[in-house]
Short mmCIF file of all heavy atoms in Angstrom, two decimals:
data_model
loop_
_atom_site.label_atom_id
_atom_site.label_comp_id
_atom_site.label_asym_id
_atom_site.label_seq_id
_atom_site.Cartn_x
_atom_site.Cartn_y
_atom_site.Cartn_z
N GLU A 1 -187.02 25.14 29.25
CA GLU A 1 -188.35 25.13 29.85
C GLU A 1 -189.14 23.89 29.44
O GLU A 1 -189.92 23.33 30.23
CB GLU A 1 -189.11 26.39 29.46
CG GLU A 1 -188.54 27.68 30.04
CD GLU A 1 -187.44 28.29 29.16
OE1 GLU A 1 -186.96 27.61 28.22
OE2 GLU A 1 -187.09 29.45 29.39
N THR A 2 -188.95 23.45 28.20
CA THR A 2 -189.60 22.21 27.75
C THR A 2 -189.12 21.03 28.57
O THR A 2 -189.91 20.20 29.02
CB THR A 2 -189.31 21.98 26.25
OG1 THR A 2 -190.07 22.93 25.48
CG2 THR A 2 -189.69 20.58 25.82
N HIS A 3 -187.81 20.93 28.77
CA HIS A 3 -187.27 19.85 29.58
C HIS A 3 -187.81 19.89 31.01
O HIS A 3 -188.08 18.84 31.61
CB HIS A 3 -185.74 19.92 29.58
CG HIS A 3 -185.11 19.35 28.35
ND1 HIS A 3 -184.87 18.01 28.19
CD2 HIS A 3 -184.70 19.95 27.19
CE1 HIS A 3 -184.31 17.79 27.00
NE2 HIS A 3 -184.21 18.96 26.38
N GLN A 4 -187.99 21.09 31.55
CA GLN A 4 -188.50 21.22 32.91
C GLN A 4 -189.93 20.69 33.01
O GLN A 4 -190.28 19.98 33.96
CB GLN A 4 -188.45 22.68 33.37
CG GLN A 4 -189.03 22.94 34.75
CD GLN A 4 -188.34 22.13 35.85
OE1 GLN A 4 -187.14 21.85 35.77
NE2 GLN A 4 -189.10 21.74 36.87
N VAL A 5 -190.77 21.02 32.05
CA VAL A 5 -192.14 20.51 32.05
C VAL A 5 -192.15 18.98 31.98
O VAL A 5 -192.92 18.32 32.70
CB VAL A 5 -192.95 21.10 30.88
CG1 VAL A 5 -194.31 20.41 30.75
CG2 VAL A 5 -193.15 22.60 31.06
N LEU A 6 -191.30 18.42 31.15
CA LEU A 6 -191.24 16.95 31.03
C LEU A 6 -190.75 16.30 32.32
O LEU A 6 -191.22 15.23 32.70
CB LEU A 6 -190.35 16.56 29.86
CG LEU A 6 -190.93 16.84 28.48
CD1 LEU A 6 -189.90 16.57 27.39
CD2 LEU A 6 -192.18 16.02 28.24
N ARG A 7 -189.82 16.96 33.01
CA ARG A 7 -189.37 16.41 34.29
C ARG A 7 -190.51 16.42 35.31
O ARG A 7 -190.67 15.47 36.09
CB ARG A 7 -188.17 17.21 34.81
CG ARG A 7 -186.87 16.89 34.08
CD ARG A 7 -185.67 17.47 34.81
NE ARG A 7 -185.64 18.91 34.76
CZ ARG A 7 -185.05 19.62 33.79
NH1 ARG A 7 -184.46 19.01 32.78
NH2 ARG A 7 -185.04 20.94 33.82
N GLU A 8 -191.31 17.48 35.30
CA GLU A 8 -192.45 17.55 36.22
C GLU A 8 -193.48 16.48 35.90
O GLU A 8 -194.02 15.82 36.80
CB GLU A 8 -193.09 18.94 36.15
CG GLU A 8 -192.21 20.05 36.71
CD GLU A 8 -192.87 21.42 36.58
OE1 GLU A 8 -194.11 21.49 36.76
OE2 GLU A 8 -192.16 22.39 36.27
N LEU A 9 -193.75 16.28 34.61
CA LEU A 9 -194.70 15.24 34.20
C LEU A 9 -194.18 13.86 34.60
O LEU A 9 -194.94 13.04 35.15
CB LEU A 9 -194.92 15.29 32.69
CG LEU A 9 -195.76 14.15 32.13
CD1 LEU A 9 -197.21 14.26 32.58
CD2 LEU A 9 -195.67 14.10 30.61
N SER A 10 -192.91 13.59 34.34
CA SER A 10 -192.34 12.29 34.67
C SER A 10 -192.44 12.02 36.17
O SER A 10 -192.79 10.90 36.59
CB SER A 10 -190.88 12.22 34.22
OG SER A 10 -190.77 12.32 32.81
N ALA A 11 -192.14 13.02 36.97
CA ALA A 11 -192.22 12.85 38.42
C ALA A 11 -193.65 12.59 38.87
O ALA A 11 -193.90 11.75 39.75
CB ALA A 11 -191.67 14.09 39.12
N GLU A 12 -194.60 13.27 38.25
CA GLU A 12 -196.00 13.08 38.62
C GLU A 12 -196.49 11.68 38.25
O GLU A 12 -197.20 11.03 39.01
CB GLU A 12 -196.86 14.16 37.94
CG GLU A 12 -198.28 14.27 38.46
CD GLU A 12 -198.35 14.89 39.85
OE1 GLU A 12 -197.30 15.14 40.48
OE2 GLU A 12 -199.46 15.12 40.32
N VAL A 13 -196.10 11.21 37.06
CA VAL A 13 -196.50 9.87 36.63
C VAL A 13 -195.90 8.82 37.56
O VAL A 13 -196.58 7.88 37.98
CB VAL A 13 -196.08 9.62 35.17
CG1 VAL A 13 -196.18 8.15 34.81
CG2 VAL A 13 -196.94 10.46 34.23
N ARG A 14 -194.64 8.97 37.92
CA ARG A 14 -194.00 8.01 38.84
C ARG A 14 -194.68 8.02 40.21
O ARG A 14 -194.82 6.98 40.86
CB ARG A 14 -192.51 8.33 38.99
CG ARG A 14 -191.65 7.84 37.83
CD ARG A 14 -190.19 7.90 38.19
NE ARG A 14 -189.74 9.27 38.35
CZ ARG A 14 -189.22 10.01 37.37
NH1 ARG A 14 -189.11 9.52 36.16
NH2 ARG A 14 -188.82 11.24 37.60
N ARG A 15 -195.10 9.20 40.64
CA ARG A 15 -195.75 9.31 41.94
C ARG A 15 -197.09 8.57 41.95
O ARG A 15 -197.43 7.86 42.90
CB ARG A 15 -195.97 10.78 42.31
CG ARG A 15 -196.55 11.01 43.70
CD ARG A 15 -196.83 12.48 43.96
NE ARG A 15 -197.91 12.99 43.11
CZ ARG A 15 -199.21 12.80 43.37
NH1 ARG A 15 -199.59 12.10 44.43
NH2 ARG A 15 -200.13 13.31 42.56
N VAL A 16 -197.87 8.74 40.87
CA VAL A 16 -199.21 8.16 40.81
C VAL A 16 -199.17 6.67 40.49
O VAL A 16 -199.91 5.87 41.06
CB VAL A 16 -200.06 8.91 39.76
CG1 VAL A 16 -201.43 8.24 39.59
CG2 VAL A 16 -200.23 10.36 40.17
N LYS A 17 -198.28 6.28 39.55
CA LYS A 17 -198.23 4.88 39.11
C LYS A 17 -196.78 4.56 38.76
O LYS A 17 -196.36 4.69 37.61
CB LYS A 17 -199.14 4.67 37.91
CG LYS A 17 -199.46 3.21 37.61
CD LYS A 17 -200.60 3.12 36.59
CE LYS A 17 -201.11 1.70 36.48
NZ LYS A 17 -202.29 1.61 35.59
N PRO A 18 -195.99 4.12 39.74
CA PRO A 18 -194.55 3.95 39.53
C PRO A 18 -194.19 3.03 38.37
O PRO A 18 -193.15 3.20 37.74
CB PRO A 18 -194.07 3.37 40.87
CG PRO A 18 -195.08 3.84 41.86
CD PRO A 18 -196.38 3.85 41.13
N GLU A 19 -195.05 2.03 38.06
CA GLU A 19 -194.71 1.09 37.00
C GLU A 19 -195.13 1.59 35.61
O GLU A 19 -194.87 0.92 34.60
CB GLU A 19 -195.39 -0.27 37.27
CG GLU A 19 -196.89 -0.30 37.08
CD GLU A 19 -197.68 0.17 38.30
OE1 GLU A 19 -197.09 0.85 39.17
OE2 GLU A 19 -198.89 -0.14 38.38
N ALA A 20 -195.78 2.74 35.52
CA ALA A 20 -196.20 3.27 34.22
C ALA A 20 -194.98 3.69 33.40
O ALA A 20 -193.92 4.00 33.94
CB ALA A 20 -197.13 4.47 34.42
N ILE A 21 -195.14 3.66 32.08
CA ILE A 21 -194.05 4.06 31.21
C ILE A 21 -194.41 5.32 30.43
O ILE A 21 -195.58 5.61 30.17
CB ILE A 21 -193.64 2.92 30.24
CG1 ILE A 21 -194.81 2.54 29.32
CG2 ILE A 21 -193.14 1.72 31.00
CD1 ILE A 21 -194.40 1.55 28.24
N LEU A 22 -193.38 6.08 30.07
CA LEU A 22 -193.51 7.28 29.25
C LEU A 22 -192.56 7.17 28.08
O LEU A 22 -191.36 6.94 28.27
CB LEU A 22 -193.17 8.53 30.06
CG LEU A 22 -194.13 8.96 31.16
CD1 LEU A 22 -193.53 10.13 31.94
CD2 LEU A 22 -195.47 9.36 30.58
N ILE A 23 -193.06 7.32 26.87
CA ILE A 23 -192.24 7.30 25.66
C ILE A 23 -192.50 8.59 24.90
O ILE A 23 -193.64 8.88 24.55
CB ILE A 23 -192.56 6.11 24.75
CG1 ILE A 23 -192.58 4.80 25.53
CG2 ILE A 23 -191.56 6.02 23.62
CD1 ILE A 23 -193.97 4.34 25.88
N ALA A 24 -191.45 9.37 24.67
CA ALA A 24 -191.62 10.67 24.04
C ALA A 24 -191.27 10.64 22.56
O ALA A 24 -190.37 9.92 22.14
CB ALA A 24 -190.76 11.71 24.75
N GLU A 25 -191.99 11.45 21.80
CA GLU A 25 -191.71 11.64 20.37
C GLU A 25 -190.89 12.92 20.21
O GLU A 25 -191.43 14.03 20.28
CB GLU A 25 -193.02 11.75 19.57
CG GLU A 25 -192.79 12.00 18.10
CD GLU A 25 -193.98 12.62 17.40
OE1 GLU A 25 -194.74 13.39 18.05
OE2 GLU A 25 -194.14 12.39 16.20
N ASN A 26 -189.58 12.75 20.03
CA ASN A 26 -188.70 13.89 19.82
C ASN A 26 -187.88 13.62 18.55
O ASN A 26 -186.95 12.83 18.57
CB ASN A 26 -187.77 14.09 21.02
CG ASN A 26 -188.55 14.43 22.28
OD1 ASN A 26 -189.32 15.37 22.30
ND2 ASN A 26 -188.36 13.65 23.32
N THR A 27 -188.25 14.28 17.47
CA THR A 27 -187.64 14.00 16.18
C THR A 27 -186.36 14.84 16.02
O THR A 27 -186.34 15.85 15.31
CB THR A 27 -188.62 14.31 15.04
OG1 THR A 27 -189.16 15.64 15.25
CG2 THR A 27 -189.77 13.33 15.04
N VAL A 28 -185.30 14.38 16.69
CA VAL A 28 -184.02 15.10 16.67
C VAL A 28 -182.89 14.12 16.42
O VAL A 28 -183.08 12.90 16.43
CB VAL A 28 -183.78 15.84 18.01
CG1 VAL A 28 -184.71 17.01 18.17
CG2 VAL A 28 -183.92 14.89 19.19
N GLY A 29 -181.70 14.67 16.21
CA GLY A 29 -180.52 13.85 16.05
C GLY A 29 -180.14 13.15 17.34
O GLY A 29 -180.66 13.47 18.42
N THR A 30 -179.20 12.23 17.25
CA THR A 30 -178.88 11.36 18.38
C THR A 30 -178.41 12.14 19.60
O THR A 30 -178.83 11.87 20.73
CB THR A 30 -177.81 10.34 17.96
OG1 THR A 30 -178.31 9.59 16.85
CG2 THR A 30 -177.49 9.39 19.10
N GLU A 31 -177.50 13.10 19.43
CA GLU A 31 -176.95 13.81 20.58
C GLU A 31 -178.02 14.61 21.30
O GLU A 31 -178.08 14.62 22.53
CB GLU A 31 -175.80 14.71 20.14
CG GLU A 31 -174.56 13.94 19.71
CD GLU A 31 -173.37 14.85 19.46
OE1 GLU A 31 -173.48 16.06 19.77
OE2 GLU A 31 -172.34 14.35 18.98
N ALA A 32 -178.89 15.29 20.55
CA ALA A 32 -179.98 16.05 21.18
C ALA A 32 -180.99 15.11 21.82
O ALA A 32 -181.54 15.40 22.89
CB ALA A 32 -180.66 16.95 20.15
N LEU A 33 -181.23 13.97 21.17
CA LEU A 33 -182.18 13.01 21.71
C LEU A 33 -181.68 12.45 23.04
O LEU A 33 -182.46 12.23 23.98
CB LEU A 33 -182.39 11.88 20.70
CG LEU A 33 -183.50 10.87 20.98
CD1 LEU A 33 -184.85 11.56 21.11
CD2 LEU A 33 -183.55 9.83 19.87
N ALA A 34 -180.39 12.22 23.13
CA ALA A 34 -179.81 11.67 24.36
C ALA A 34 -180.10 12.57 25.57
O ALA A 34 -180.28 12.09 26.69
CB ALA A 34 -178.31 11.48 24.19
N LYS A 35 -180.16 13.89 25.35
CA LYS A 35 -180.40 14.82 26.45
C LYS A 35 -181.80 14.68 27.03
O LYS A 35 -182.05 15.05 28.19
CB LYS A 35 -180.16 16.25 25.98
CG LYS A 35 -178.72 16.52 25.57
CD LYS A 35 -178.54 17.93 25.02
CE LYS A 35 -177.10 18.16 24.59
NZ LYS A 35 -176.89 19.51 23.99
N TYR A 36 -182.74 14.15 26.23
CA TYR A 36 -184.11 14.01 26.72
C TYR A 36 -184.23 12.93 27.78
O TYR A 36 -185.23 12.88 28.51
CB TYR A 36 -185.07 13.74 25.55
CG TYR A 36 -185.57 15.02 24.93
CD1 TYR A 36 -184.93 15.58 23.82
CD2 TYR A 36 -186.66 15.70 25.46
CE1 TYR A 36 -185.37 16.76 23.26
CE2 TYR A 36 -187.12 16.89 24.91
CZ TYR A 36 -186.47 17.42 23.81
OH TYR A 36 -186.91 18.60 23.26
N TYR A 37 -183.23 12.04 27.88
CA TYR A 37 -183.30 11.00 28.91
C TYR A 37 -183.17 11.57 30.32
O TYR A 37 -183.51 10.89 31.29
CB TYR A 37 -182.24 9.94 28.65
CG TYR A 37 -182.70 8.93 27.63
CD1 TYR A 37 -182.31 9.02 26.30
CD2 TYR A 37 -183.56 7.90 27.99
CE1 TYR A 37 -182.75 8.10 25.36
CE2 TYR A 37 -184.00 6.97 27.06
CZ TYR A 37 -183.59 7.07 25.75
OH TYR A 37 -184.04 6.17 24.82
N ALA A 38 -182.73 12.80 30.46
CA ALA A 38 -182.72 13.44 31.77
C ALA A 38 -184.11 13.95 32.16
O ALA A 38 -184.34 14.32 33.31
CB ALA A 38 -181.73 14.60 31.78
N SER A 39 -185.04 13.95 31.17
CA SER A 39 -186.36 14.52 31.40
C SER A 39 -187.50 13.51 31.30
O SER A 39 -188.53 13.67 31.94
CB SER A 39 -186.61 15.65 30.38
OG SER A 39 -185.55 16.59 30.40
N VAL A 40 -187.32 12.49 30.46
CA VAL A 40 -188.36 11.49 30.25
C VAL A 40 -187.67 10.14 30.04
O VAL A 40 -186.60 10.08 29.43
CB VAL A 40 -189.26 11.88 29.05
CG1 VAL A 40 -188.49 11.86 27.75
CG2 VAL A 40 -190.49 11.00 28.95
#
């Protein structure tokens, strides 16, 4: 559900300002962190 919210936020930001950037703070190990690239 957390990943779903981030996907919705990312889509909304791209819609409003395509050149804007999003950088997330996720304090996890490398493998879990890699999964966040599908969401942000």
Side-chain angles (χ1 to χ4, degrees):
E1 293 87 348
T2 288
H3 281 276
Q4 177 58 32
V5 171
L6 288 173
R7 284 192 291 271
E8 291 178 38
L9 173 69
S10 296
E12 193 72 354
V13 167
R14 281 193 293 269
R15 184 184 67 80
V16 175
K17 196 168 191 175
E19 71 275 19
I21 61 173
L22 290 174
I23 311 100
E25 178 202 31
N26 296 305
T27 50
V28 290
T30 302
E31 290 188 7
L33 189 58
K35 296 176 181 177
Y36 273 94
Y37 277 98
S39 307
V40 66

